[in-house]
Amino acid sequence: MVNVRMPDVDLVIAFRATKKTSLSKQQTREDARKAEQQYKRLIETLSYAGLKAVGRRGESLGHLLVFVTCPPKHVEELVKRERHSDFLSGLPVTPVANSIPLSAADRLRLVHSYISSSPADGGLGISPDAPEWDLVEFIFPLHDREFNEHWIRAWKLRNIASVQLERIRDQFGDSLALYFAFLASYTQFLAVPALLGLLAHFLLPPYAPIYSILLSLWSIVFVEWWRIHERKLSLRFGTRGSFKVEKRRAQYKPGLSWWVKELRVLASVPVIVFFAGILSAILTGIFVFEAFVTELYQGPGKQLITFSPTLLFVIFVPRVLAVYHAIAVRLTNWENHAHKSTYSASLTLKTFALSSIVAYLGLGLSAFVYVPFGEGVMKWVQAWLFGSATTRNGFAATIRDMLNGTVATAGKESAVVVDTLSSASEKVTQSAFWNANPTAVQTKLNPGRLREQMFAYTVTGQVSNTFMEVGLPFILRRIDAFRKKRNSKAVPLHSAVAPGSSTSDNGSVSGGPKKRVVFEDEKERGGMEERAFLDSVRQEAALPEYDLFEDYNEMVIQFGYVVLWSTIWPLAGVMAFLNNLLELRSDAFKMTVHNRRPIPARTDTIGPWLDALTFLTWLGALTNSALVYLFSPELLPRAATTLANATASASDNITLLVEEHLASASGAVPSADWGVDGASSSSALSATKELLLKAILVSLVASHGFLLVRLFIRHIVEKMFWRGSGEVAERERTDRDVKLQFLKGSGLKLSGEVVIERDFDGTEVEKDDMGFWDHDEGVEEIQRISKEA
């Protein structure tokens, strides 16, 4: 039996001829005519440009897949054009001796750039963002399944933290190679806080200053080292300065002044502040409900009530973020960015701003509200729930009685609830559902709350994220496959039902795209091999797009947990290190199995994420200094000496008691030495405010020290890893020699024969055994829409 080679496909264009919603017959015919005209124009544009393009039926009626391949001679022309452009723009270009090796990623990037870039940049302008191509859904390359299988299996335990960057770059491009380089480097650097965390957890007291100082130094060293390392990688990849040759976006409208663009960028700030306020209010309300109300409830279903804050979070927070993201996309489009890199950077910073609020606000409220003022807030919540001295009758009293459960049990033993707002009290009936005893407020507070939150974020949260990335897509696809199989059993063998359709009792199809009947003349002309190939492509087209933002966001948020808050629970660094050992493989698995293959892109930096890391290192200096100053038990002996002194004033004693309370409520010392809560009296409130003000001053001093230390570390790292690097000196010397030879007119060649590395085994495939490129089904499929109508 002769093995039939699969067609040589570069890119696939998903073309939607009809809308997924049901339309009238007249509207369906008009849409079909428009789709036929645009489809013919698409094929003509691609063919006229020297590309091969044919259409095949997609997953449902009206869904088409246009297969595109670029002949080798045209690829050589694209390579020559890019190398000349790189040389003129100052990018490093190596001279050509005999041939130019072209990786699969570079070929896909060149062909995609040629198809999607604007005609002003020498492209065809076929892009989903272009208004004249509104029926083009997306463009994607096909997975190299052989490479994916070898790559995933290559992640062994002995080399789990090592990354073969050249293989990743050759297959997926520079942006993915930089991400995996960052992830591998960050994972290796995490060994330091993991070791420090183990030592601090077992040998040092809680909130040890030495641990916080070493952690801040580590964060600065890592960020500054990566800043240099990505420069070296861009030299190695030949992409340093690639922004100079970046193609313009299809939605870019020239002619807008620079200051107008800057004003449009600034116009996003009030929107960010507004949504940050809404999100903070929601999260604060959920925090109060979870930290205080659930502790007061003692009735039936207490375990279910405990999970209600999570339910509220799931209901409200994702919806607010979805609305904000839609507005952020509109604002970023309105800013009229010329290039995708600046567009992505602007949208990334907008999105990350609210993601960080969701991630860190709960810990901030616990550390700087719950611990200092927990008793006072608990009394206020009790007064709000169970009544105040000023409210006697009316609707509010009725609701209060209903919440307290006192309507049916009047006359029984009562308890006194203190209204901290008016310093009044009233008698209410003791309920079996609520613990309203005002004298036992301390027992309702959790000294281990901060550590429990850190455990939830760095352990439970990371496990659930891994399941959502790797496990859940498998389950959803199995359910979808089962649903399709069940629907197919209700349809005759000669017909096929599109996904999303349902079959009624009389055999008709309702909902979603119409049923597409496949007759003998519609079957794939390439036989079973072509059918298997097309089924595989349709499965890939149904996968979601790979979003690099999600992976970067997950790692940067994790970095923030370690740098900002691991003083609370030093084992957070250990958990992050263990998680990332699996994250390397799970990200590779997710990208190759659960998502469409990403389109390769040139870049020389991780972009705005480096700015986010730098900001988090600065913020970490503030939070660590504040946490240590407020909660470290090592600072208590100084105050104990003051208390033992007979001449100590009452204010000194109150300050000591407040300090003891902060250390106890944060879990740093046993809760037996509870001290005095900040809301217990006016003097205690003043002492607490004074300590918080001092903590702010200490944080400001630490921030200035951070700037000086970072300047020193940046200077040392640059001297060691950039100016003293032999690799950097060699590549700069090579680049300088190329330019000198060009100036001397020595016949320097910048382009030559291109050796295309298409398959995993390095062989080039030009043979078309099944005649895949000889016939097109697009126009016939679109005309069938009118017939179905």
Side-chain angles (χ1 to χ4, degrees):
M1 181 177 178
V2 180
N3 292 327
V4 179
R5 300 302 296 264
M6 292 297 102
D8 188 12
V9 176
D10 286 317
L11 296 171
V12 180
I13 303 175
F15 188 90
R16 175 67 63 179
T18 58
K19 298 180 179 179
K20 297 182 179 180
T21 57
S22 58
L23 303 172
S24 63
K25 295 182 179 180
Q26 181 63 26
Q27 185 65 39
T28 301
R29 293 191 184 97
E30 292 179 2
D31 288 349
R33 283 194 292 269
K34 173 188 173 183
E36 183 176 351
Q37 294 174 0
Q38 190 172 136
Y39 178 80
K40 289 181 178 179
R41 181 160 54 92
L42 174 65
I43 298 298
E44 290 173 358
T45 302
L46 293 171
S47 301
Y48 183 77
L51 307 175
K52 289 184 179 180
V54 295
R56 291 291 189 274
R57 298 180 181 90
E59 191 68 27
S60 60
L61 180 64
H63 184 242
L64 300 174
L65 298 175
V66 180
F67 296 83
V68 182
T69 188
C70 186
K73 291 295 182 182
H74 206 71
V75 173
E76 291 185 7
E77 183 63 29
L78 294 177
V79 172
K80 178 180 178 180
R81 183 197 301 183
E82 181 179 77
R83 290 179 65 84
H84 286 180
S85 175
D86 289 351
F87 181 77
L88 294 175
S89 301
L91 271 70
V93 178
T94 56
V96 175
N98 297 314
S99 61
I100 304 173
L102 186 67
S103 65
D106 285 336
R107 171 168 178 148
L108 293 176
R109 177 180 54 79
L110 288 170
V111 176
H112 178 266
S113 177
Y114 178 58
I115 293 175
S116 61
S117 58
S118 63
D121 289 329
L124 304 181
I126 301 174
S127 172
D129 297 330
E132 62 270 21
W133 299 106
D134 58 320
L135 298 182
V136 174
E137 285 190 311
F138 49 85
I139 305 174
F140 68 101
L142 297 179
H143 277 295
D144 186 339
R145 297 183 180 275
E146 186 177 357
F147 171 85
N148 293 347
E149 184 176 353
H150 282 79
W151 187 38
I152 293 175
R153 290 183 177 180
W155 297 96
K156 303 297 183 182
L157 186 61
R158 61 178 180 272
N159 62 346
I160 192 67
S162 62
V163 176
Q164 298 176 335
L165 286 184
E166 290 300 328
R167 294 181 63 189
I168 297 175
R169 179 175 178 268
D170 290 345
Q171 193 69 17
F172 300 107
D174 303 315
S175 59
L176 265 297
L178 266 180
Y179 167 71
F180 277 96
F182 167 77
L183 180 56
S185 301
Y186 171 51
T187 302
Q188 293 168 0
F189 265 81
L190 273 176
V192 175
L195 179 60
L196 290 176
L198 288 173
L199 295 175
H201 182 76
F202 292 105
L203 301 179
L204 298 178
Y207 301 94
I210 185 63
Y211 172 77
S212 298
I213 293 173
L214 293 177
L215 184 69
S216 296
L217 291 175
W218 167 83
S219 65
I220 299 172
V221 170
F222 167 68
V223 173
E224 297 306 322
W225 176 86
W226 172 257
R227 193 187 304 275
I228 300 300
H229 187 61
E230 73 171 12
R231 278 195 231 163
K232 295 174 68 174
L233 288 177
S234 65
L235 282 178
R236 192 181 307 169
F237 296 163
T239 59
R240 181 158 174 78
S242 59
F243 63 91
K244 300 176 183 177
V245 294
E246 189 176 357
K247 307 297 183 182
R248 283 171 286 188
R249 297 172 58 241
Q251 294 176 316
Y252 172 67
K253 298 177 182 179
L256 203 63
S257 302
W258 68 268
W259 58 270
V260 176
K261 295 181 182 179
E262 295 299 322
L263 288 177
R264 289 187 176 186
V265 172
L266 290 177
S268 302
V269 175
V271 178
I272 297 174
V273 173
F274 174 74
F275 275 93
I278 293 178
L279 198 59
S280 299
I282 293 174
L283 293 172
T284 302
I286 295 175
F287 167 80
V288 171
F289 184 82
E290 185 267 336
F292 300 101
V293 178
T294 56
E295 293 294 329
L296 295 174
Y297 182 75
Q298 303 296 327
K302 179 175 174 59
Q303 297 297 327
L304 297 177
I305 294 296
T306 305
F307 288 106
S308 57
T310 303
L311 183 62
L312 293 174
F313 183 93
V314 172
I315 292 175
F316 291 107
V317 174
R319 284 166 173 76
V320 173
L321 290 177
V323 173
Y324 170 76
H325 185 266
I327 296 176
V329 170
R330 288 179 175 270
L331 286 173
T332 311
N333 289 331
W334 180 60
E335 291 168 3
N336 194 33
H337 293 276
H339 304 105
K340 187 177 179 180
S341 60
T342 57
Y343 175 88
S344 299
S346 179
L347 183 59
T348 296
L349 292 177
K350 292 184 181 71
T351 309
F352 178 74
L354 263 67
S355 298
S356 58
I357 292 177
V358 175
Y360 306 136
L361 183 61
L363 282 166
L365 290 173
S366 294
F368 303 114
V369 176
Y370 182 87
V371 172
F373 306 105
E375 290 186 22
V377 176
M378 179 66 79
K379 292 177 183 179
W380 185 88
V381 171
Q382 288 185 186
W384 182 78
L385 282 176
F386 308 120
S388 64
T390 58
T391 302
R392 297 294 182 183
N393 301 305
F395 178 76
T398 304
I399 295 298
R400 181 182 66 246
D401 291 338
M402 292 176 61
L403 290 173
N404 195 26
T406 59
V407 176
T409 59
K412 292 187 179 182
E413 185 180 357
S414 62
V416 177
V417 177
V418 177
D419 186 350
T420 57
L421 299 180
S422 60
S423 299
S425 64
E426 66 171 323
K427 289 188 177 183
V428 298
T429 305
Q430 177 68 36
S431 169
F433 290 173
W434 299 92
N435 182 7
N437 185 4
T439 61
V441 174
Q442 176 183 339
T443 61
K444 303 170 188 176
L445 300 178
N446 180 13
R449 176 178 176 80
L450 281 171
R451 295 188 179 183
E452 291 175 1
Q453 280 185 284
M454 281 297 296
F455 181 86
Y457 290 136
T458 58
V459 179
T460 309
Q462 292 185 145
V463 171
S464 63
N465 284 340
T466 302
F467 171 75
M468 295 290 289
E469 291 180 353
V470 179
L472 185 60
F474 263 127
I475 297 174
L476 294 178
R477 285 216 298 272
R478 290 293 180 89
I479 294 174
D480 187 58
F482 173 77
R483 187 179 302 166
K484 291 179 182 179
K485 184 178 180 181
R486 185 182 61 181
N487 291 339
S488 64
K489 292 181 180 179
V491 184
L493 295 177
H494 65 277
S495 61
V497 181
S501 304
S502 59
T503 308
S504 60
D505 295 337
N506 58 6
S508 63
V509 178
S510 60
K514 284 191 174 183
K515 178 179 68 177
R516 177 170 59 84
V517 181
V518 182
F519 296 97
E520 290 295 329
D521 60 343
E522 296 178 50
K523 293 183 177 179
E524 288 79 5
R525 302 181 186 180
M528 296 301 296
E529 291 81 6
E530 182 175 337
R531 171 178 291 187
F533 170 72
L534 291 178
D535 286 343
S536 174
V537 175
R538 288 164 185 151
Q539 290 176 3
E540 290 190 31
L543 295 174
E545 181 182 5
Y546 175 72
D547 189 2
L548 189 57
F549 169 86
E550 294 295 334
D551 287 335
Y552 270 123
N553 185 71
E554 181 183 355
M555 290 298 101
V556 174
I557 290 292
Q558 182 201 79
F559 178 82
Y561 281 129
V562 175
V563 175
L564 272 65
W565 306 106
S566 66
T567 300
I568 297 171
W569 192 55
L571 292 182
V574 181
M575 299 299 108
F577 177 71
L578 296 177
N579 173 81
N580 286 11
L581 291 179
L582 299 177
E583 187 75 21
L584 286 161
R585 182 166 184 172
S586 65
D587 282 350
F589 185 82
K590 177 186 67 174
M591 184 177 62
T592 56
V593 176
H594 296 320
N595 295 97
R596 298 195 298 267
R597 182 176 179 175
I599 296 174
R602 293 179 91 182
T603 184
D604 59 352
T605 177
I606 63 175
W609 297 110
L610 183 57
D611 299 328
L613 291 171
T614 305
F615 173 76
L616 288 177
T617 56
W618 170 79
L619 192 61
L622 273 67
T623 57
N624 280 287
S625 57
L627 291 172
V628 169
Y629 180 80
L630 291 174
F631 306 143
S632 176
E634 295 185 15
L635 303 181
L636 285 178
R638 172 181 53 81
T641 304
T642 305
L643 184 63
N645 191 349
T647 60
S649 62
S651 60
D652 293 333
N653 296 339
I654 288 294
T655 301
L656 170 61
L657 293 175
V658 170
E659 289 180 348
E660 287 182 346
H661 170 76
L662 293 177
S664 300
S666 63
V669 297
S671 57
D673 303 323
W674 187 254
V676 177
D677 181 81
S680 60
S681 64
S682 58
S683 58
L685 180 61
S686 300
T688 304
K689 288 182 178 179
E690 183 180 354
L691 284 175
L692 292 176
L693 180 60
K694 290 181 179 179
I696 294 175
L697 295 176
V698 169
S699 298
L700 292 177
V701 172
S703 69
H704 287 76
F706 163 83
L707 295 177
L708 294 176
V709 172
R710 187 183 67 178
L711 185 64
F712 174 75
I713 292 178
R714 179 176 294 181
H715 177 75
I716 296 300
V717 169
E718 182 143 352
K719 287 287 186 181
M720 292 177 59
F721 298 101
W722 181 256
R723 301 187 185 279
S725 172
E727 179 184 2
V728 173
E730 178 64 26
R731 293 186 181 277
E732 289 180 346
R733 182 166 54 252
T734 301
D735 187 49
R736 185 167 56 253
D737 291 343
V738 169
K739 293 176 181 179
L740 287 175
Q741 292 180 38
F742 183 80
L743 290 175
K744 293 178 180 179
S746 58
L748 176 69
K749 292 180 62 179
L750 297 179
S751 60
E753 181 184 359
V754 177
V755 179
I756 302 173
E757 302 171 0
R758 287 302 308 273
D759 282 353
F760 180 69
D761 56 4
T763 59
E764 169 67 9
V765 181
E766 297 184 14
K767 189 176 181 181
D768 184 12
D769 294 332
M770 63 178 65
F772 183 81
W773 304 101
D774 297 338
H775 63 283
D776 183 277
E777 300 174 354
V779 175
E780 182 182 352
E781 179 70 7
I782 295 175
Q783 292 174 350
R784 192 179 302 278
I785 298 174
S786 300
K787 295 179 182 178
E788 290 287 336

